[in-house]
Amino acid sequence: MTLEASPIPLIDPNSCSSSELAAAIASAVSSVGFLHLKLSDELRAQAARAFSISKELFDEPLEHRLRCPNENGNGHVRFQANRLEESKGAGDLKENFVYGRHGMEESKTSQPLPPSLKRNQAEVDVFHASCYKLTCTLLDAFSVALNLPPEYFVERHFQGGCGMAFINYPPVASGAGAEGVARASAHKDWGSLTLLFQEEQGTPGLEVYLADAAVEAVKSSKPMELMSDLDLAKCGQWFPAPIIPGTVLVNVGLAMEGWTGGLFKATLHRVLTHSAPDGSFSGRKSIAYFVQPSDNVVLNPIAPDGTITITSSALTSKAFYEARMAASAAAAAASS
């Protein structure tokens, strides 16, 4: 399959005013649903160090990670333990370790940690905090774009609701059928937004799906749905999400799509294997910072002019997240 050039825009927050930044971000997330955001030198250096820590994490014995199983959104998720696409099939070719979620009554996570994260926890905490600071900048831009008070969205999030996932895609054996295998099956993120860091000299493979205009018109009236019943080959096209040094990928999740009445798009994306020039299929690492609204926030839809429609059918953030977790668990059980 030949992919077209990436339609994902690159935005430099230092080259525009706050109003211009809000307009650029809103344009990106209401069309493609993704954007590349240029990082500060400080955050870029922190991300590079986080990838070094990630290497330590996945190089240490597996038994260390197995002692810290996934619980309450934190911890280790075994290789092929789940499938992001909510349908039958084998588990995705990845493992991950989620760090940092905690309750509002706590100041930091108390989750068990393998030795590599325990000895580097202070640095990971700094990176987590920096990611949340960037998240607040983006949420403020969302608020401004929707004619809301500048801190409307920030006030409905907190740092402990955000999980940092260290994701490891091991190398894939070369041979027939190895090209184009799903390392992470097609899915949409569930939360408000995601910051996705890709290793600057790492392995590509992330792709985003853009539906045809007719499909988007129908989809806009049904926010928070997964489009899992669509024939993707006939309804749109996959595009690459390239690795651009010094940037982070930002994408909208289903909670924000529903919250904005479908204006901001949660876009399907996946990770496939792509061979290197020598025919090998190298491993890939990424770090995803998942942002979720506070549990008690009701996701009443917000119109482009800032009007909020109070509806009895609107879910709280917690109820929506639990519904997605239940659907994911059911899909995993059906495929086992």
Side-chain angles (χ1 to χ4, degrees), residues 141-300:
F142 288 2
S143 296
V144 170
L146 292 171
N147 298 297
L148 295 166
E151 295 188 352
Y152 180 87
F153 285 119
V154 170
E155 290 172 349
R156 287 157 177 79
H157 292 76
F158 86 111
Q159 186 178 335
C162 304
M164 177 174 287
F166 296 89
I167 306 172
N168 181 47
Y169 303 90
V172 174
S174 300
E179 182 76 30
V181 172
R183 284 176 146 160
S185 50
H187 66 285
K188 298 182 180 184
D189 294 347
W190 301 346
S192 301
L193 61 87
T194 303
L195 306 179
L196 183 71
F197 297 86
Q198 303 187 87
E199 277 190 298
E200 295 197 357
Q201 304 302 320
T203 303
L206 181 64
E207 299 174 3
V208 300
Y209 180 82
L210 298 185
D212 292 340
V215 176
E216 284 294 343
V218 174
K219 176 175 166 287
S220 65
S221 66
K222 298 179 180 181
M224 302 170 101
E225 294 193 1
L226 298 175
M227 294 174 62
S228 58
D229 58 339
L230 292 179
D231 183 342
L232 300 184
K234 295 180 179 179
C235 298
Q237 189 171 355
W238 289 100
F239 294 86
I243 297 172
I244 301 179
T247 69
V248 62
L249 269 170
V250 180
N251 67 281
V252 166
L254 283 164
M256 183 60 72
E257 181 178 79
W259 210 351
T260 60
L263 177 64
F264 293 172
K265 310 296 184 188
T267 301
L268 277 169
H269 51 287
R270 66 187 182 186
V271 179
L272 298 188
T273 55
H274 291 296
S275 58
D278 64 359
S280 65
F281 295 89
S282 301
R284 169 184 164 91
K285 286 185 173 62
S286 61
I287 300 172
Y289 190 79
F290 295 113
V291 179
Q292 187 79 17
S294 299
D295 284 351
N296 62 350
V297 171
V298 180
L299 303 175
N300 286 305

Side-chain angles (χ1 to χ4, degrees), residues 13-266:
N14 296 317
S15 66
C16 52
S17 67
S18 58
S19 59
E20 290 171 336
L21 177 63
I25 290 173
S27 175
V29 298
S30 61
S31 55
V32 183
F34 273 76
L35 61 101
H36 292 278
L37 190 71
K38 187 173 181 181
L39 296 171
S40 66
D41 291 342
E42 180 182 20
L43 188 48
R44 184 180 183 183
Q46 289 178 11
R49 175 59 186 144
F51 277 111
S52 296
I53 295 170
S54 178
K55 184 177 187 305
E56 292 182 41
L57 171 65
F58 293 109
D59 281 351
E60 71 181 339
L62 173 61
E63 63 187 60
H64 293 176
R65 300 189 293 282
L66 292 176
R67 293 177 191 145
C68 310
N70 185 271
E71 187 174 307
N72 298 321
N74 283 330
H76 180 243
V77 179
R78 293 177 292 105
F79 181 71
Q80 284 193 295
N82 61 13
R83 179 177 173 84
L84 292 173
E85 183 178 0
E86 294 181 5
S87 61
K88 293 184 179 180
D92 291 336
L93 303 179
K94 66 183 182 71
E95 71 170 310
N96 57 283
F97 195 100
V98 184
Y99 175 83
R101 290 192 174 107
H102 61 80
M104 297 191 73
E105 70 283 357
E106 302 168 310
S107 60
K108 63 183 298 183
T109 180
S110 58
Q111 68 186 97
L113 298 174
S116 57
L117 287 185
K118 191 172 294 184
R119 64 175 173 264
N120 293 301
Q121 186 173 9
E123 288 182 278
V124 175
D125 284 340
V126 169
F127 183 46
H128 195 292
S130 294
C131 288
Y132 189 68
K133 182 178 179 180
L134 178 58
T135 293
C136 291
T137 297
L138 291 161
L139 291 174
D140 282 347
F142 288 2
S143 296
V144 170
L146 292 171
N147 298 297
L148 295 166
E151 295 188 352
Y152 180 87
F153 285 119
V154 170
E155 290 172 349
R156 287 157 177 79
H157 292 76
F158 86 111
Q159 186 178 335
C162 304
M164 177 174 287
F166 296 89
I167 306 172
N168 181 47
Y169 303 90
V172 174
S174 300
E179 182 76 30
V181 172
R183 284 176 146 160
S185 50
H187 66 285
K188 298 182 180 184
D189 294 347
W190 301 346
S192 301
L193 61 87
T194 303
L195 306 179
L196 183 71
F197 297 86
Q198 303 187 87
E199 277 190 298
E200 295 197 357
Q201 304 302 320
T203 303
L206 181 64
E207 299 174 3
V208 300
Y209 180 82
L210 298 185
D212 292 340
V215 176
E216 284 294 343
V218 174
K219 176 175 166 287
S220 65
S221 66
K222 298 179 180 181
M224 302 170 101
E225 294 193 1
L226 298 175
M227 294 174 62
S228 58
D229 58 339
L230 292 179
D231 183 342
L232 300 184
K234 295 180 179 179
C235 298
Q237 189 171 355
W238 289 100
F239 294 86
I243 297 172
I244 301 179
T247 69
V248 62
L249 269 170
V250 180
N251 67 281
V252 166
L254 283 164
M256 183 60 72
E257 181 178 79
W259 210 351
T260 60
L263 177 64
F264 293 172
K265 310 296 184 188

